[in-house]
Amino acid sequence: MNLITVGLGIFFILYGITTFVLRLYKPSFFWKLEPMKQKWGEKRGYYVHVFSYSILPVILGIVYTVLGVRG
């Protein structure tokens, strides 16, 4: 087991979950959201932002954690 990789995985998972929860309760916290909406449109900009800052870190965190546990 590689503890550094597991730690990074857990960090990414927590980061993704935290950004998802903040998005629900305090959407004004994300200052990059409005420029993304202006660049790609209202819906697409929102989805790109959610994917980039919430979903992708959770997926990456799961991969890192599994790799770290395997060694």
Side-chain angles (χ1 to χ4, degrees):
M1 182 180 341
N2 187 341
L3 293 178
I4 293 174
T5 308
V6 172
L8 277 173
I10 292 171
F11 172 76
F12 283 130
I13 291 170
L14 291 175
Y15 176 79
I17 291 171
T18 302
T19 58
F20 186 76
V21 170
L22 279 174
R23 185 178 322 284
L24 295 175
Y25 292 108
K26 195 172 182 183
S28 62
F29 182 76
F30 299 100
W31 59 273
K32 292 182 184 177
L33 179 59
E34 286 305 316
M36 286 181 145
K37 284 182 178 180
Q38 291 174 358
K39 184 174 183 179
W40 286 304
E42 190 73 25
K43 276 187 171 181
R44 193 179 312 160
Y46 180 79
Y47 290 136
V48 167
H49 193 268
V50 168
F51 181 77
S52 300
Y53 291 100
S54 295
I55 296 171
L56 195 60
V58 171
I59 292 171
L60 186 66
I62 291 169
V63 170
Y64 268 54
T65 303
V66 168
L67 291 176
V69 169
R70 286 187 176 177

